Amino acid sequence: MILRYAITDPKLYGSKPSALKESVRQTLLAFSPDIICLRDKSSSHYEALAEAFLSLKPHFVRTRFFLHTDIELAIRLGADGIHLPSAMLSHTGTAVSRGLKVVVSTHTIEEAVLCEKAGAYGITYGPVFATPGKGAPKGLEKLKEITGKISLNIFALGGIVSQEQIEAVKRAGADGFASIRYFVTQGK
């Protein structure tokens, strides 16, 4: 079975704690993702969103709850893990040593190898398919290359909105897929 990694977006999940919590709850009920990450790069009240998000954790024990970027907040609020952008790859070892599962956004094989050496739980690699605002897709062949180079969990990311694409990344050797839109559009 392929691992499912849901990533939130304030445009689709809401930017107020109550709206976010309800949207996340609906995603958890509909899809039972293995991991869900609270990603909001622009909120001035991320901590309040994180508290609402993590209040669902005791009710969905099979899902790991990750915060984005803020290691200290993830530890203080009891998140299961942290998703780090590639620019923060050097913080992977610190987060791991403090008890967090770490997934790092990567775009090259070299970054993926560094994540493995630092003890990351997994990486996202992409964009695999075309996705708005993310440049040219890496494609399935590049994904296949990376799956042969590292042994940590590889989540294909970027433009994954259909079951056919999920099957394609699985055939390419990915352990899972990460998506924003799949978990929103498939439920409609």
Side-chain angles (χ1 to χ4, degrees):
M1 176 155 211
I2 193 160
L3 296 170
R4 298 166 311 235
Y5 184 178
I7 301 171
T8 70
D9 182 310
K11 292 179 209 142
L12 301 172
Y13 282 80
S15 58
K16 294 187 174 161
S18 60
L20 169 81
K21 183 177 177 179
E22 182 54 26
S23 294
V24 168
R25 189 178 78 73
Q26 291 299 323
T27 295
L28 291 165
L29 289 171
F31 297 100
S32 298
D34 299 284
I35 301 171
I36 190 163
C37 178
L38 175 61
R39 180 178 170 267
D40 188 330
K41 296 179 179 182
S42 61
S43 176
S44 60
H45 57 278
Y46 186 81
E47 185 168 346
L49 294 172
E51 288 170 349
F53 173 77
L54 290 169
S55 73
L56 293 166
K57 188 177 164 205
H59 307 287
F60 295 92
V61 296
R62 297 183 76 208
T63 299
R64 290 185 174 141
F65 285 70
F66 280 39
L67 295 186
H68 190 270
T69 309
D70 193 332
I71 295 168
E72 294 305 319
L73 184 63
I75 292 166
R76 188 161 39 85
L77 296 182
D80 297 307
I82 190 84
H83 187 121
L84 298 175
S86 58
M88 290 183 67
L89 190 154
S90 63
H91 297 272
T92 301
T94 300
V96 170
S97 72
R98 305 232 6 235
L100 294 173
K101 297 266 186 212
V102 179
V103 172
V104 182
S105 294
T106 64
H107 310 286
T108 67
I109 291 173
E110 294 77 21
E111 287 175 340
V113 170
L114 288 172
C115 291
E116 183 170 47
K117 287 179 181 174
Y121 166 76
I123 62 164
T124 59
Y125 179 77
V128 176
F129 301 105
T131 191
K134 297 296 182 182
K138 304 278 185 197
L140 293 168
E141 287 306 313
K142 286 283 187 193
L143 178 62
K144 282 180 191 175
E145 281 180 37
I146 206 165
T147 61
K149 305 262 187 216
I150 59 172
S151 60
L152 49 74
N153 289 307
I154 300 169
F155 295 90
L157 174 68
I160 299 172
V161 295
S162 71
Q163 192 60 42
E164 293 78 22
Q165 290 169 314
I166 294 168
E167 293 301 320
V169 300
K170 184 177 179 181
R171 285 191 303 273
D175 300 291
F177 75 97
S179 182
I180 295 171
R181 293 180 294 150
Y182 176 83
F183 294 100
V184 176
T185 61
Q186 294 299 307
K188 302 283 182 219

